[in-house]
Amino acid sequence: MFLENTPIEEYKIGSETVYVKREDLYGQDPMPPLAKLRGIRLVLDKLYKQGCRTVGVLDTRVSKSGWGVAAVRKFEHPDMELMLGFPVTKANSTVPPQHLKAQELGAIIIAQQGTRQSIMYYRFKKLVEENNGIMLPHGLPFVETALSVAEQAAMIPKELVQGTIVLIVGTGTMLAGILIGLMEEKNINIVGISAGKDPSGQLNNIEKIMNIAMPFQGKATGKIKLINPIMPYDIECDCQCPFPSHPNYDRKAWYWLTKHIDELKKPVLFWNIGA
């Protein structure tokens, strides 16, 4: 169900060739197309060995992270329970389709009245802990994910990392992994387009992950440029994309790339994270 070494494919934007790292292919059906499965598997396995039998996840209405945790739990730790929270409002009280998929895989889905993210998180965390569970961090920014991504980044042919790497940025976990894997490369340029968060907060999280993974190695964040969100997080991007991409995540970065490719140092490598 897992494609450990994901492929690099070639696509065209006008006359320019773009190389696409298909990390969305890591999870094979019935797993969701989600690169964060790399870390989810490792973290759930560690918690299970420590005796944890209930975990909690607070997800957004567009992310597939909860579905990913549900799938790993179902097939690797079937006696572990997942409590999956998601926001609802008066304007939208439906259950998102990816959370229904998580429910089909055995997750206990629990609607949460939509309010500030931090308030929802700690309210749901209290509920999970009352059920003797462990609450997973919002967005699942696992160091384990970053280290697994770093292994993939280190395998990229050297000639493909001498130009520009472009990707969407949520928590910054994937970008941190790429930086770790390419730490020895002096000439890399990475452009991250925010999926909706404040880039300063994303930068802090990237540095936090890197400091845990590689203490005392210094900062590598000077190699990246973070772009403000080009549209709100919950708005889908409807641009054409020649490979499967999440409309709230990767497709926004692809759209940005189609508008700016002439400005970028070549070759261009697009990191399709899946979300």
Side-chain angles (χ1 to χ4, degrees), residues 123-141:
R123 186 171 60 199
F124 195 66
K125 182 175 186 284
K126 183 174 184 293
L127 178 62
V128 171
E129 291 177 345
E130 287 172 352
N131 284 271
N132 299 313
I134 292 178
M135 186 69 176
L136 300 181
H138 188 68
L140 310 183

Side-chain angles (χ1 to χ4, degrees), residues 11-19 164 166 254-269:
Y11 295 92
K12 290 286 187 179
I13 294 180
S15 62
E16 295 286 355
T17 297
V18 177
Y19 299 90
T164 308
V166 178
W254 183 259
Y255 175 74
W256 182 91
L257 179 56
T258 64
K259 302 299 182 183
H260 296 273
I261 190 167
D262 292 339
E263 307 163 17
L264 303 178
K265 182 182 178 182
K266 311 301 187 295
V268 172
L269 174 66

Side-chain angles (χ1 to χ4, degrees), residues 2 5 18 24 31 39 46 64 87 138 176 214 265-266:
F2 301 100
N5 296 318
V18 177
D24 59 297
M31 295 288 167
K46 179 172 67 176
K64 296 177 181 176
H138 188 68
M214 303 179 64
K265 182 182 178 182
K266 311 301 187 295

